[in-house]
Amino acid sequence: MSTVLPDFDRVTTQMAGACKDDPICSSLAGMLNNAWWAPLVGSAIVIVLILVLGFVIRNLVHRIITKVVNRAATSGSITSKFRKGVATDGIDALLHERRKQRAETMGSVLKHVASIVVLGTTVLTVLDRLTIPIAPLLTSVGILGVAIGFGAQELVKDFIAGMFMLLEDQYGVGDVIDAGAAVGTVEAVTLRVTRLRDVDGRVWYVRNGTITRVGNESQGWSRAYMDVPVAYDADVVGVRVLLEHVAEELWADSELRESKIVEQPQVFGVEQLSDSSLVFRITAKTLPSAQAEVSRELRLRVKTALDAADIPMVSTTP
């Protein structure tokens, strides 16, 4: 008991001295006629005010972040651009969804960071008001942070890579990507991992920090193409005219034009010369991830047109 009382007196004296240096606390103590317990009550009220102010600032910062995120997610209204008579509403809707997902993810990260900074500062301020030395605490936290940083380097690397991936909009949900370790459709994106599903239905979980290069096959728009090999003695001009007619028919198809194709198909002419054939190429710009369906329709129409014109396709396999 004799040991506790001197410590209590010392703490009381320190809090009274800190209260005198604080205009708010000293004013409160003056309202209480400067009784011996007045500095304690004043310090307690100041601590409560600090805690309330900390939570108010945290909620205010969260509201500001939410407004900024909502504005970023809905900014750049989905414009109905027209390219050669075709509305690109589908592309605009996908870009809007990607922008919304990216903004919400970054908003969540910013809210967590803001909470840690504001509440951490509030706790340190309260400890300082209680005359508890915070210098050793800050040193211990710094050492602990360094130790955790060394032990969780891969985790930190994954989070940093995920943040830059979202900021740069490298890929999003629904994109078909080649991530090196796996190729497939993106089903989920977090700051730590990317979940893919390949053509066999297999689900891949790829850590963002291990992705060194990404090939996005469906960002903005895609391209469907077909190489048409014909014999050397075939009528080059006639084959080109035939393929151009197929491209016009594909463009005239209202169902494909409104939902999948965004630009008139083109015939590039003779793409290459092999030892046994001339290879023509026909292409069509499509909505993201619609190139496979358009390619199948393109192959069917080209094969039907060649058969009708009695022009055989030549195998390019030795």
Side-chain angles (χ1 to χ4, degrees), residues 147-302:
I148 294 176
F150 276 109
Q153 293 183 53
E154 296 297 330
L155 183 62
V156 174
K157 181 181 178 182
D158 294 339
F159 273 88
I160 293 177
M163 289 184 62
F164 277 103
M165 179 271 298
L166 289 172
L167 286 173
E168 297 170 359
D169 192 22
Q170 297 176 7
Y171 55 84
V173 175
D175 285 351
V176 179
I177 67 170
D178 179 357
V183 179
T185 303
V186 179
E187 291 190 339
V189 178
T190 66
L191 288 179
R192 195 178 71 86
V193 297
T194 297
R195 189 175 77 223
L196 304 175
R197 187 178 295 274
D198 62 17
V199 293
D200 297 327
R202 187 183 297 108
V203 177
W204 294 81
Y205 294 88
V206 184
R207 288 177 28 229
N208 295 328
T210 62
I211 301 177
T212 57
R213 59 106 177 111
V214 177
N216 195 329
E217 299 181 9
S218 54
Q219 191 171 35
W221 53 271
S222 301
R223 189 185 297 278
Y225 74 92
M226 177 184 177
D227 289 336
V228 184
V230 297
Y232 266 99
D233 57 356
D235 183 3
V236 176
V237 177
V239 173
R240 183 184 180 91
V241 171
L242 180 65
L243 295 180
E244 289 176 348
H245 181 66
V246 172
E248 291 175 357
E249 287 184 345
L250 198 67
W251 180 243
D253 191 318
S254 59
E255 182 178 354
L256 292 174
R257 183 171 175 174
E258 292 175 359
S259 60
K260 294 179 177 61
I261 302 178
V262 299
E263 193 173 280
Q264 184 171 357
Q266 298 179 353
V267 178
F268 288 170
V270 179
E271 181 70 17
Q272 61 180 341
L273 300 174
S274 68
D275 57 351
S276 60
S277 63
L278 301 171
V279 180
F280 289 80
R281 174 167 293 183
I282 179 173
T283 68
K285 186 179 289 188
T286 71
L287 289 174
S289 303
Q291 69 271 28
E293 185 173 352
V294 175
S295 294
R296 287 191 290 268
E297 181 67 22
L298 186 62
R299 286 191 286 268
L300 178 61
R301 290 174 182 256
V302 168

Side-chain angles (χ1 to χ4, degrees), residues 25-238:
C25 185
S26 60
S27 300
L28 292 173
M31 294 173 60
L32 298 173
N33 298 323
N34 290 320
W36 68 268
W37 44 266
L40 298 179
V41 175
S43 298
I45 295 176
V46 171
I47 289 174
V48 173
L49 291 176
I50 292 174
L51 292 175
V52 172
L53 182 62
F55 281 100
V56 169
I57 293 176
R58 171 183 173 272
N59 293 336
L60 180 61
V61 172
H62 279 204
R63 291 186 64 180
I64 293 174
I65 292 175
T66 301
K67 288 184 178 180
V68 172
V69 167
N70 291 337
R71 181 172 298 179
T74 58
S75 63
S77 59
I78 305 177
T79 57
S80 224
K81 299 178 183 177
F82 288 83
R83 184 178 303 160
K84 294 186 179 180
V86 178
T88 58
D89 292 335
I91 294 179
D92 290 335
L94 290 173
L95 293 177
H96 170 73
E97 186 63 30
R98 291 165 64 91
R99 184 169 57 247
K100 179 181 177 182
Q101 180 192 19
R102 186 168 67 255
E104 290 177 349
T105 303
M106 295 308 302
S108 176
V109 174
L110 291 176
K111 286 182 180 179
H112 282 87
V113 173
S115 297
I116 293 174
V117 172
V118 174
L119 296 183
T121 304
T122 302
V123 171
L124 292 177
T125 305
V126 170
L127 292 178
D128 184 61
R129 295 292 310 181
L130 294 173
T131 69
I132 298 176
I134 62 175
L137 179 62
L138 292 176
T139 304
S140 302
V141 171
I143 296 174
L144 181 62
V146 172
I148 294 176
F150 276 109
Q153 293 183 53
E154 296 297 330
L155 183 62
V156 174
K157 181 181 178 182
D158 294 339
F159 273 88
I160 293 177
M163 289 184 62
F164 277 103
M165 179 271 298
L166 289 172
L167 286 173
E168 297 170 359
D169 192 22
Q170 297 176 7
Y171 55 84
V173 175
D175 285 351
V176 179
I177 67 170
D178 179 357
V183 179
T185 303
V186 179
E187 291 190 339
V189 178
T190 66
L191 288 179
R192 195 178 71 86
V193 297
T194 297
R195 189 175 77 223
L196 304 175
R197 187 178 295 274
D198 62 17
V199 293
D200 297 327
R202 187 183 297 108
V203 177
W204 294 81
Y205 294 88
V206 184
R207 288 177 28 229
N208 295 328
T210 62
I211 301 177
T212 57
R213 59 106 177 111
V214 177
N216 195 329
E217 299 181 9
S218 54
Q219 191 171 35
W221 53 271
S222 301
R223 189 185 297 278
Y225 74 92
M226 177 184 177
D227 289 336
V228 184
V230 297
Y232 266 99
D233 57 356
D235 183 3
V236 176
V237 177

